[in-house]
Structure formats: C-alpha cells, structure tokens
C-alpha cells in the first residue's frame, strides 16, 4: 500500500492512481496495475502511511489485513511490529515486489506475511478474522466502495480495529482537481454511518489536514478522512 511518507512524496498507489492523476475516465484494471508494477525498480519508498503509524502504534499486535497493499509499505511496517499480516492487491507484480522487500528487511520476518492477489471490487475477506483491517485511499465508485467497506467491517473480529483513511470529499476546494471523479471520494460521515453503534465504538472520526509534496516539488494542501473504530466484543 502506502509507499511514501506523507508530506514528502506521493504516498501510495491508491491515493495517486485511483483518482487518475487528472486524466479523464482512466481504466485501472488488473492489466494497468500489472504493467505499472512490472516496470523495473520500485514505484514507492516503502515507508508506511502516517495515519497508520499514528492510529495503530498503540495497538497490541495480532492478525492484520492490509487492503490494496501495493509494494508493501504498510504491511511490512505492521510485520516489523509483530503483526501477522495478509496483504491483498490486484497486482501480482506488486505483491512479488513486496515479498522481495520483506526478504531484504532485517526487521521483518517474511513468515509473518501472506500475500494474496484479488480484485477488491469483487473480493471479500473471511468474516470476523482479523484484529486489524486497514484501508488507505481506497477511492472506488460508490457501489464498489459500499460493498467493499461493508465487507472490510465484517472481517474485523470482536475487539478488533477498523481503520479507514481517504481524501475528504468535502475538503477539496473548487472540485476534485487532480483527484478525478468526486464520486470516488468519501466523507467521515459516510464511513461512520455504516458502523452501527450497537456493534462499533468509534474512537477517531475526523478530517486531518496535511501538506503533501508531489513529484514536481509542488506542496499541496490536502485533508484526509481518518476513521478508527473498535468492534464491540459484547
């Protein structure tokens, strides 16, 4: 997933690419991602997303699901902290690079990582199977997003944590600009509204501003939805 530190380089393929980088009606199918990640070298830095570090560092390690894991920045950070992580991505090339990076890292035990290729618009994880489910910048059309976010919430075990991060649909002045179709974005209210108070305790639900430096060196002011919730165990 996240492959660069927030506020420095573009942070992950979901943030930069699912919005289309300003191109009209991009087709981000498996062929696109396999080609992108099939290029020599790595697309991203390997650093975890800042919101993941801020929201998860205090949690006791367990079983984690990293959705749209890309070259593995978030998954490897979790594994280095003792989590057993399943990283899921549409691109097998991305997963192969993530697995290779895990073998190079002295602070990561590759046995703690499982890599799974899947198209997230049609895939669902096993219910109540993970102590942490994290989704960063999964900007999908509304129908796909509703289905996926529901499936991800269902995958959290009792007492476990759901972390959803994305660009705030209400905080982009003058439209979405480089972020493409506004229907791909979501708000804090949309995420929280899907979490029944009977089943969930919402710990964090906020719009978090930050600065991000793009590949052209331009500093962009953005704001992210950050929602962290705990599934009630009773």
């Amino acid at each position: 997933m996240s492959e660069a530190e927030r506020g420095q380089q573009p942070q992950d393929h979901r943030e930069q690419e699912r919005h289309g980088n300003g191109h009209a009606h991009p087709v981000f199918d498996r062929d696109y991602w396999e080609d992108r990640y099939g290029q020599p070298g790595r697309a991203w830095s390997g650093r975890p997303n800042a919101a993941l570090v801020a929201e998860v560092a205090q949690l006791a390690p367990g079983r984690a699901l990293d959705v749209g894991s890309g070259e593995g920045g978030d998954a490897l950070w979790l594994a280095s902290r003792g989590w057993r992580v399943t990283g899921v991505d549409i691109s097998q090339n991305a997963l192969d690079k993530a697995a290779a990076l895990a073998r190079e890292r002295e602070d990561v035990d590759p046995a703690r990582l499982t890599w799974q290729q899947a198209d997230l618009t049609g895939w669902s994880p096993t219910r109540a199977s993970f102590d942490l489910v994290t989704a960063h910048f999964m900007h999908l059309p509304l129908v796909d997003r509703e289905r996926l976010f529901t499936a991800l919430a269902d995958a959290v075990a009792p007492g476990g944590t759901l972390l959803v991060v994305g660009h705030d649909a209400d905080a982009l002045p003058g439209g979405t600009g480089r972020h493409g179709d506004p229907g791909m974005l979501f708000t804090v209210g949309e995420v929280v509204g899907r979490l029944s108070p009977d089943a969930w305790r919402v710990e964090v639900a906020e719009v978090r501003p930050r600065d991000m430096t793009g590949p052209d060196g331009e500093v962009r002011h953005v704001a992210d939805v950050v929602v962290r919730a705990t599934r009630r165990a009773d």
Side-chain angles (χ1 to χ4, degrees):
M1 178 213 97
S2 70
E3 318 303 347
E5 190 76 22
R6 286 191 172 181
Q8 296 180 17
Q9 298 297 321
Q11 58 199 347
D12 75 30
H13 70 273
R14 286 160 299 182
E15 174 178 353
Q16 188 178 19
E17 302 298 341
R18 288 188 186 274
H19 294 306
N21 288 331
H23 298 300
H25 307 297
V27 179
F28 293 141
D29 57 11
R30 183 176 180 183
D31 287 344
Y32 170 87
W33 291 113
E34 294 293 9
D35 179 70
R36 178 171 178 79
Y37 284 114
Q39 302 301 313
R42 298 191 182 106
W44 314 110
S45 73
R47 292 189 291 269
N49 273 305
L52 178 75
V53 175
E55 299 302 328
V56 172
Q58 77 278 13
L59 300 181
R63 301 157 296 171
L65 174 65
D66 179 27
V67 179
S69 53
E71 292 172 318
D74 283 358
L76 270 62
W77 180 82
L78 288 166
S80 74
R81 298 183 65 85
W83 292 84
R84 292 193 174 274
V85 188
T86 298
V88 181
D89 199 274
I90 194 172
S91 169
Q92 187 61 51
N93 285 331
L95 297 172
D96 290 344
K97 288 184 176 182
L101 183 58
R103 292 191 293 270
E104 296 172 6
R105 292 265 298 260
E106 294 183 357
D107 62 337
V108 173
D109 179 359
R112 291 188 172 275
L113 291 148
T114 300
W115 306 105
Q116 181 177 350
Q117 188 280 322
D119 182 342
L120 295 173
T121 64
W123 172 86
S124 295
T126 304
R127 293 174 63 91
S129 296
F130 297 95
D131 302 299
L132 170 67
V133 174
T134 176
H136 279 68
F137 303 101
M138 289 303 301
H139 295 295
L140 301 171
L142 178 60
V143 172
D144 291 331
R145 190 168 69 240
E146 287 180 334
R147 191 209 64 79
L148 177 62
F149 283 7
T150 297
L152 297 184
D154 288 344
V156 179
T161 297
L162 174 69
L163 176 63
V164 177
V165 178
H167 291 300
D168 179 25
D170 289 340
L172 295 172
T176 58
R178 66 183 281 274
H179 302 292
D181 182 356
M184 303 279 275
L185 307 187
F186 51 88
T187 64
V188 168
E190 179 185 334
V191 179
V192 172
R194 294 197 182 101
L195 303 176
S196 167
D198 293 336
W200 293 92
R201 183 173 65 253
V202 176
E203 314 284 359
V204 176
E206 66 184 39
V207 175
R208 192 170 294 174
R210 63 181 172 88
D211 292 338
M212 184 183 73
T213 303
D216 55 2
E218 178 187 358
V219 176
R220 299 183 177 97
H221 305 289
V222 297
D224 296 331
V225 168
V226 179
V227 175
R228 176 168 57 86
T230 302
R231 180 178 285 281
R232 298 186 187 275
D234 49 7

